[in-house]
Amino acid sequence: MEVSHLKHQIQAAASWAPETPALRRDLEIMAEVGNEVFGAGTHWIEERTCPPADPAPEVSRA
């Protein structure tokens, strides 16, 4: 099987987004397709508690 990747930069899974029905649907579709292509149990949706935002994050400037 040949696997190709999109030419755009892949975003790391470190970003947080609030869960919405549309986002949940899209993630379920991606996990399902990934499992079909690469095998059962290779793709899943992780659920984590989002840490509270820092009200005054430090900014470093070079």
Side-chain angles (χ1 to χ4, degrees), residues 11 18-19 31 52:
Q11 184 179 8
E19 184 176 338

Side-chain angles (χ1 to χ4, degrees), residues 4 11 14 17 21 23 36 39-40 53 56-57 62:
S4 63
Q11 184 179 8
L23 179 58
E36 289 175 4

Side-chain angles (χ1 to χ4, degrees), residues 1-25:
M1 172 189 304
E2 184 176 324
V3 177
S4 63
H5 297 278
L6 298 175
K7 300 293 183 199
H8 65 72
Q9 182 179 2
I10 297 172
Q11 184 179 8
S15 62
W16 291 88
E19 184 176 338
T20 64
L23 179 58
R24 169 60 73 165
R25 182 199 67 230

Side-chain angles (χ1 to χ4, degrees), residues 40-62:
T42 59
H43 289 72
W44 59 89
I45 300 170
E46 282 193 28
E47 295 184 20
R48 301 180 186 178
T49 302
C50 183
D54 185 348
E58 292 184 29
V59 177
S60 62
R61 297 174 193 247

